[in-house]
Amino acid sequence: MKYSNAWHLRDIILLTLIAIFFGVIYWVIGPLYNVLTVALTPVGLGPGANDVVMGIWVMAGPLSGYIFKKVGSATLGEFLGSVVEMFLGGQWGASTMISGVVQGVASELGFTFTGYKRYDWFSLNLSVLTTTIVTFGWDMIRNGYSKYHIGLLIALFIIRLISTWIFSGLLVKAIVKLLDRTHLMQTQSR
Amino acid sequence: MNPSLKFLLAVLIALEISFTSTWMVNLALAIIGLLIILTSRPPLKRLVLLFFVPLIPAVALAVAILLQSNAGMHFALVLFTRIYAYVFVGSAATLTTSVSDLVMSLEQNAHIPSKFAYGFLGAFDLLPKIVSEVNVIRAAGNMRGQALHIWSPQLYFKAILASLDWSENLAEAMTSHGFSEGAPRTYFKQIRVHWWDWCIMISSLLLLQIALFGLHLQ
Amino acid sequence: MATISINHLSFSYPTEDGQKPLTLADVSATFPDGGFSLLTGPSGSGKSTLMKIMSGLYPKFGGVITHGEIQLNHTPISEIPETDRGQLIAMMFQNPNQQFAMDTVERELLFTLENQCVPPSEMMSRVDRALEYVEITALRHRQLNSLSGGEKQKVALAVIIAMKADTILLDEPFASVDPVARQLLLSKLAKLQHEEHKTIIISDHDLEDYDAYIDHLFVLNGTGNSLTLLNETDAQEKMAAFQRQDTSDQQLSLPTKVDQPVITAHDLSLTAGTSTLLKQPEINFFKHHITLLTGANGTGKSTLLMALSKLHQYDGTLLLNQKEIAKIRNNQLYRQVALVFQDADQQFLNVSVAEELALSLKNSQAAAYFKERLPGFLEKLQLDHLQDHVVYTLSGGQKKKLQILEMLIMATPVLLFDEPFTGLDFSSLQTIMAIMKQVAHDCHQTMLIVSHQLFGLDALVDYHVTLANNQLQYVEGLA
Ligand SMILES: Nc1ncnc2c1ncn2[C@@H]1O[C@H](COP(=O)(O)OP(=O)(O)OP(=O)(O)O)[C@@H](O)[C@H]1O
Ligand SMILES: Nc1ncnc2c1ncn2[C@@H]1O[C@H](COP(=O)(O)OP(=O)(O)OP(=O)(O)O)[C@@H](O)[C@H]1O
Ligand SMILES: [Mg+2]
Ligand SMILES: [Mg+2]
């Protein structure tokens, strides 16, 4: 299968729809994040909730990368999702779009490092790793993670890595497997 | 203000306060954001929500700093006000602009290819259907004796298939309504960038620099 | 003015393994200029496919033309620039949703005119005229999302009128349109044909009501390898064969005292957005009976079914076996009541036909009953050869049949149907009704069926409820 890098109207609509769907599904579990945060706040671990659900939050990136197999698809997917999120009045306001780009680029890197040639378990894992590292770096700045004790920092990083691996790795792989069987995606990117 | 510039400004502000630690500036931005929000006369419920939604992450971040680091009260306050600045500045932009105006402005002023502008808009307009579709997918699962959870691949699989189907229908319909990628179009509603748009943008940013710099010197 | 001629056209949706089964094989025909043509054929024969090729959407959006071409005014469609195409040919789709890019009616019309590079100063008058023509000026500023299926189709027609397309293609445009709206749309189309000399081509299974309007009847055969223009007598014969018996004098009985209610409503009120759809002091639906629910477009039939399956909020009391529906937990509720969605795709969870059927059998409340009868049902519905097909690539009618069957297999005590018969050809319709009747009887099911199409329903349903003026009411007449 040869994939072209041009974006067509249908790809753009599809990408946006997927991003919105994921946003809405995330929204449905929004309470989960809030409950978790409230529960962890008294011991000062509130931000950890963010790391626990991080994987769900960034799933759209690797998935778009995998589905579209185009340069920039992961980034665009996350970014469009964040624009929608901002219009829905999410908890991070104007910084949502910045996070969208950061997360998008983060998961894109996994595919970039494999030259957009490999779309397999390896590149997916690489994407999981880059996503974790880059988004963690961004939280060091935005959410003041950099001031935490090193022990906590490592713990949060590991939690985030696991969460991202479960959702953006394992789950994305399972979803893609189902999709591949329908052969419906093949007509894409024509 | 011109929608494209308005959003650019909001993002630039958010970016800048992400890298600076001056709680007074954050607070001032939040207040200005709130004033702009109030001019759009949002329903009371929305306003109340706007105050409470950021509270959870804001408190969580502040408490974490107090308990888990040596950064102290000042930095906790910075993080707390930062979240509110993000949300109020963001909402000031979103509540005063319709998505279609933003999209038209991006097309006409920022010269984003129209396929991106209208592709996004067409998808965005399906939002209410998407929300109900997620519920329908879960109900359809239950009706067939299969519960779908947040970790069930089928949930996302169905969402993607619905997207695929809808994107095909929508792209075909838009094409059938004469839309063609890259073809010239006329505009019923001309959206311009006026000189005062640039003035607002530049002076806002200047003011922000002065405030940040001034307070930093203290 | 436009002549469409199809010359030895073959078209295929290539499969994954490189095969190219021909969906349309060497078909030829000429659609006369300025005529009103009806294209009919069994479900899955390729009508939608043909329409999309004529409008130039295929092969751009899928499939390949393996042979032949379609010419519009003697120019192959593929050679007409996309931007000019809108003035020559426009299409209205089977599915009224996802037809619009913008949020409001007016903006969609403007969007279309912008695409055609109409000077801004002319736009408003063209919008005004198009809306007036279809008599929907009142909908001008409405959110497209908030319109009913019928209203959306009217907007779609207004868009086409604003585009000033010479040829109008309509792919089963009335699938979700009530008889009143359908008559209105048909008469508008006839007016367009006569006064503005437009060429109109409609595809439909349901030949009723067309008699007065159409000039030509084209039939695509089941395997998509012959497209014929029927001569006058054959056409008359076919139309007459389809002429339904008049449903207006068919009588049903009213519920009796001995009937046991399974669903009970007190002071039920349903709203959608800003509009109130239902205000109902009291109504029951009865156990082990099949009830038909009818009403004009947008009166709230679908909304009621959604409320019954906890997918739409309601005010007041709505009881299922004496329990408040809103309070029953999902996994409990959906074992007692299930909804056959209007859109078949929403029902599917798996990839292939076989997997879909297997899932239903696995979780069925009457597995043994169906295990025995399934092969027979599949054969009757002509689904038996499709076992390893991907469900999402079936034709509209095939999907519908599979969807109804797999929900029947679940044997849920209360089964709600939202327009189950749309897109079914005549013989499929009769088969599926017979199966529904048999299963409802054998598995002691209660069914509530929303349908615009009434043909043959007198044999299936026991009771008839109408929804009008925000009220549900049992009636004796079928029509
Ligand atoms: N995108 C697709 N990919 C593969 N096969 C398809 C696709 N769309 C349709 N088909 C197949 O092509 C055949 C013709 O389908 P089409 O939708 O044109 O039929 P139709 O006559 O419009 O049927 P209906 O009356 O049920 O709408 C069917 O067998 C269908 O399964
Ligand atoms: N946000 C909204 N604001 C106002 N009205 C709305 C909104 N959403 C839906 N509606 C109205 O609610 C009604 C929904 O009707 P529903 O789909 O239940 O009708 P129906 O009887 O099933 O019609 P059809 O026969 O066309 O399927 C429509 O009249 C629609 O205009
Ligand atoms: Mg069809
Ligand atoms: Mg309906």
Side-chain angles (χ1 to χ4, degrees):
Chain A
M1 192 99 250
K2 213 175 148 344
Y3 288 90
S4 90
N5 260 319
W7 287 95
H8 291 296
L9 179 63
R10 179 166 126 197
D11 305 323
I12 296 160
I13 299 174
L14 177 59
L15 188 59
T16 315
L17 283 176
I18 292 176
I20 302 177
F21 255 112
F22 279 55
V24 169
I25 291 173
Y26 181 79
W27 231 28
V28 176
I29 57 148
L32 174 74
Y33 163 75
N34 285 337
V35 168
L36 214 58
T37 310
V38 171
L40 293 175
T41 294
V43 283
L45 294 176
N50 195 25
D51 297 87
V52 175
V53 297
M54 193 63 178
I56 310 174
W57 198 202
V58 296
M59 261 171 84
L63 194 78
S64 321
Y66 216 101
I67 290 177
F68 290 94
K69 302 186 172 53
K70 293 180 199 290
V71 176
S73 46
T75 313
L76 200 58
E78 278 289 351
F79 173 69
L80 292 175
S82 69
V83 177
V84 175
E85 169 80 10
M86 179 166 157
F87 268 95
L88 295 181
Q91 283 168 321
W92 305 96
S95 75
T96 315
M97 286 210 276
I98 305 171
S99 307
V101 174
V102 171
Q103 288 164 3
V105 170
S107 34
E108 179 94 31
L109 283 177
F111 299 108
T112 313
F113 288 150
T114 49
Y116 296 97
K117 291 209 176 66
R118 286 180 73 160
Y119 287 93
D120 52 14
W121 189 219
F122 175 77
S123 55
L124 208 52
N125 275 311
L126 197 61
S127 172
V128 166
L129 194 66
T130 53
T131 305
T132 312
I133 295 172
V134 176
T135 60
F136 202 78
W138 168 233
D139 273 329
M140 299 264 263
I141 301 163
R142 180 181 75 166
N143 289 337
Y145 276 28
S146 52
K147 311 273 183 190
Y148 295 155
H149 302 299
I150 183 75
L152 178 63
L153 215 50
I154 291 173
L156 289 179
F157 183 85
I158 291 174
I159 292 171
R160 178 174 298 207
L161 184 61
I162 293 172
S163 162
T164 311
W165 186 70
I166 290 175
F167 286 98
S168 299
L170 284 183
L171 190 56
V172 166
K173 190 179 166 203
I175 298 167
V176 170
K177 210 169 144 195
L178 279 173
L179 281 173
D180 279 346
R181 286 188 47 218
T182 66
H183 304 309
L184 290 174
M185 286 293 168
Q186 254 73 32
T187 48
Q188 223 48 57
S189 328
R190 197 194 308 272
Chain B
M1 188 177 175
N2 179 280
S4 299
L5 288 182
K6 194 193 303 185
F7 276 81
L8 183 62
L9 182 60
V11 170
L12 287 178
I13 291 174
L15 198 61
E16 180 132 21
I17 59 174
S18 301
F19 288 93
T20 50
S21 311
T22 316
W23 71 268
M24 285 200 332
V25 171
N26 292 347
L27 186 65
L29 285 169
I31 291 172
I32 296 169
L34 185 61
L35 289 177
I36 297 173
I37 291 169
L38 287 175
T39 61
S40 79
R41 299 175 175 277
L44 189 68
K45 203 175 138 207
R46 179 101 207 219
L47 208 59
V48 172
L49 213 62
L50 219 50
F51 270 94
F52 279 99
V53 163
L55 195 63
I56 295 172
V59 171
L61 286 174
V63 172
I65 287 296
L66 292 179
L67 295 184
Q68 302 289 347
S69 79
N70 307 320
M73 191 62 197
H74 173 259
F75 195 67
L77 203 58
V78 167
L79 285 183
F80 187 89
T81 51
R82 188 186 281 174
I83 297 281
Y84 271 90
Y86 282 154
V87 173
F88 286 2
V89 167
S91 300
T94 53
L95 289 179
T96 56
T97 325
S98 72
V99 182
S100 55
D101 280 346
L102 174 62
V103 161
M104 285 190 258
S105 165
L106 285 173
E107 182 195 14
Q108 294 179 37
N109 310 133
H111 302 290
I112 302 246
S114 60
K115 59 184 176 184
F116 283 96
Y118 291 97
F120 176 82
L121 189 59
F124 189 86
D125 287 335
L126 289 174
L127 183 68
K129 274 213 70 176
I130 291 176
V131 175
S132 65
E133 185 72 14
V134 171
N135 292 322
V136 165
I137 293 171
R138 298 178 88 188
N142 275 320
M143 286 170 190
R144 304 278 299 289
Q146 192 162 47
L148 299 179
H149 303 284
I150 196 80
W151 56 84
S152 310
Q154 268 108 336
L155 178 64
Y156 300 89
F157 171 63
K158 288 296 294 178
I160 294 169
L161 286 185
S163 309
L164 193 64
D165 188 32
W166 298 359
S167 67
E168 204 164 300
N169 291 349
L170 193 54
E172 286 178 8
M174 283 168 72
T175 307
S176 174
H177 286 185
F179 184 82
S180 179
E181 287 174 27
R185 309 175 71 247
T186 49
Y187 309 113
F188 178 74
K189 184 172 173 181
Q190 303 269 346
I191 298 184
R192 296 215 163 72
V193 187
H194 300 281
W195 59 267
W196 62 81
D197 289 322
W198 286 111
C199 281
I200 298 174
M201 167 108 180
I202 291 168
S203 52
S204 306
L205 286 176
L206 271 180
L207 222 62
L208 181 62
Q209 309 315 314
I210 293 168
L212 284 171
F213 197 63
L215 285 168
H216 200 70
L217 280 186
Q218 275 186 350
Chain C
M1 232 174 266
T3 350
I4 298 182
S5 55
I6 303 170
N7 305 324
H8 300 284
L9 181 77
S10 297
F11 183 88
S12 150
Y13 295 101
T15 57
E16 186 48 19
D17 47 24
Q19 286 181 358
K20 291 187 177 171
L22 293 182
T23 300
L24 295 172
D26 195 27
V27 294
S28 299
T30 300
F31 289 94
D33 168 34
F36 195 132
S37 306
L38 176 60
L39 170 65
T40 184
S43 139
S45 55
K47 300 181 295 298
S48 301
T49 308
L50 182 60
M51 289 237 160
K52 285 187 180 171
I53 305 172
M54 285 198 266
S55 63
L57 291 172
Y58 285 168
K60 179 180 160 104
F61 284 103
V64 286
I65 293 178
T66 55
H67 189 79
E69 61 179 12
I70 294 185
Q71 291 188 343
L72 195 59
N73 294 337
H74 314 291
T75 314
I77 297 237
S78 54
E79 286 169 23
I80 302 172
E82 224 169 65
T83 31
D84 300 346
R85 218 185 275 145
Q87 315 218 348
L88 297 170
I89 196 158
M91 170 134 167
M92 184 165 148
F93 296 85
Q94 198 163 354
N95 186 343
N97 301 308
Q98 306 120 33
Q99 265 197 85
F100 307 108
M102 308 297 280
D103 51 350
T104 67
V105 175
E106 183 183 76
R107 272 206 272 265
E108 182 67 31
L109 283 154
L110 290 172
F111 168 73
T112 309
L113 296 175
E114 290 177 348
N115 292 335
Q116 291 191 311
C117 291
V118 172
S121 55
E122 271 177 43
M123 287 183 185
M124 265 306 157
S125 60
R126 263 168 89 164
V127 171
D128 291 340
R129 245 178 299 142
L131 291 173
E132 267 162 39
Y133 201 98
V134 197
E135 301 176 28
I136 49 167
T137 308
L139 300 182
R140 185 177 197 130
H141 298 290
R142 285 282 295 275
Q143 293 281 323
L144 286 158
N145 276 321
S146 74
L147 301 180
S148 70
E151 290 169 328
K152 282 185 189 143
Q153 292 299 56
K154 289 183 193 167
V155 176
L157 183 60
V159 170
I160 291 174
I161 290 170
M163 289 173 81
K164 297 195 172 160
D166 280 332
T167 302
I168 304 178
L169 303 176
L170 304 100
D171 186 9
E172 280 185 59
F174 306 128
S176 53
V177 173
D178 67 83
V180 180
R182 176 187 165 114
Q183 285 297 343
L184 178 102
L185 285 168
L186 269 172
S187 65
K188 294 296 169 195
L189 287 167
K191 198 169 150 201
L192 283 169
Q193 182 208 357
H194 293 128
E195 291 177 6
E196 324 226 348
H197 207 71
K198 307 267 189 208
T199 308
I200 292 165
I201 306 173
I202 281 192
S203 83
D204 210 327
H205 299 288
D206 182 350
L207 307 188
E208 175 142 57
D209 294 342
Y210 285 112
D211 227 357
Y213 300 104
I214 63 162
D215 309 317
H216 315 281
L217 181 59
F218 287 85
V219 180
L220 188 59
N221 72 343
T223 44
N225 57 12
S226 116
L227 176 62
T228 36
L229 169 59
L230 297 190
N231 62 33
E232 193 77 13
T233 30
D234 288 350
Q236 281 307 326
E237 206 169 292
K238 189 154 179 103
M239 301 289 287
F242 206 90
Q243 201 64 38
R244 298 158 174 175
Q245 72 252 56
D246 197 1
T247 44
S248 59
D249 57 347
Q250 287 171 357
Q251 292 289 312
L252 297 166
S253 50
L254 291 176
T256 59
K257 289 244 153 40
V258 297
D259 287 336
Q260 277 182 31
V262 58
I263 293 166
T264 310
H266 300 289
D267 297 321
L268 178 67
S269 101
L270 291 179
T271 52
T274 48
S275 53
T276 300
L277 297 174
L278 186 69
K279 276 215 166 304
Q280 189 74 21
E282 206 78 40
I283 188 101
N284 291 315
F285 294 106
F286 299 98
K287 211 171 220 156
H288 307 328
H289 284 285
I290 303 182
T291 306
L292 169 70
L293 172 61
T294 61
N297 283 132
T299 43
K301 304 177 298 294
S302 299
T303 311
L304 176 63
L305 295 192
M306 296 293 259
L308 288 171
S309 39
K310 215 173 134 183
L311 289 168
H312 190 97
Q313 284 191 337
Y314 60 84
D315 290 312
T317 316
L318 192 52
L319 305 174
L320 175 73
N321 295 320
Q322 312 306 324
K323 287 203 203 79
E324 188 70 56
I325 287 180
K327 293 198 181 126
I328 307 176
R329 294 186 43 176
N330 286 357
N331 48 3
Q332 303 278 324
L333 178 71
Y334 295 129
R335 280 189 68 76
Q336 298 171 57
V337 49
L339 173 60
V340 177
F341 296 103
Q342 191 160 3
D343 176 3
D345 281 356
Q346 289 183 322
Q347 210 91 50
F348 303 136
L349 291 173
N350 278 321
V351 177
S352 72
V353 173
E355 286 170 343
E356 278 294 314
L357 293 168
L359 177 67
S360 278
L361 269 184
K362 186 178 122 209
N363 296 325
S364 168
Q365 299 181 39
Y369 175 87
F370 282 101
K371 212 161 238 147
E372 194 181 312
R373 288 169 182 76
L374 187 57
F377 287 156
L378 288 175
E379 199 186 319
K380 277 193 209 154
L381 292 170
Q382 294 171 311
L383 294 173
D384 45 344
H385 61 291
L386 297 173
Q387 292 274 354
D388 44 288
H389 278 233
V390 173
V391 285
Y392 301 95
T393 56
L394 298 176
S395 81
Q398 291 164 338
K399 278 182 190 168
K400 212 68 214 177
K401 288 187 278 187
L402 175 65
Q403 174 201 16
I404 297 175
L405 182 61
E406 69 184 32
M407 290 311 285
L408 287 174
I409 294 176
M410 290 307 294
T412 319
V414 178
L415 204 46
L416 314 171
F417 293 84
D418 198 352
E419 309 278 2
F421 308 124
T422 51
L424 288 179
D425 58 61
F426 192 64
S427 74
S428 302
L429 178 68
Q430 287 177 312
T431 317
I432 201 82
M433 279 191 194
I435 294 177
M436 280 167 69
K437 177 118 191 154
Q438 183 190 345
V439 171
H441 175 266
D442 294 351
C443 300
H444 309 294
Q445 276 179 309
T446 307
M447 292 183 178
L448 181 57
I449 302 173
V450 168
S451 181
H452 283 303
Q453 100 88 36
L454 301 177
F455 179 72
L457 276 179
D458 57 321
L460 178 65
V461 304
D462 304 314
Y463 300 136
H464 180 195
V465 172
T466 56
L467 173 50
N469 305 321
N470 306 335
Q471 292 281 318
L472 291 163
Q473 195 182 10
Y474 278 93
V475 294
E476 288 183 307
L478 186 57

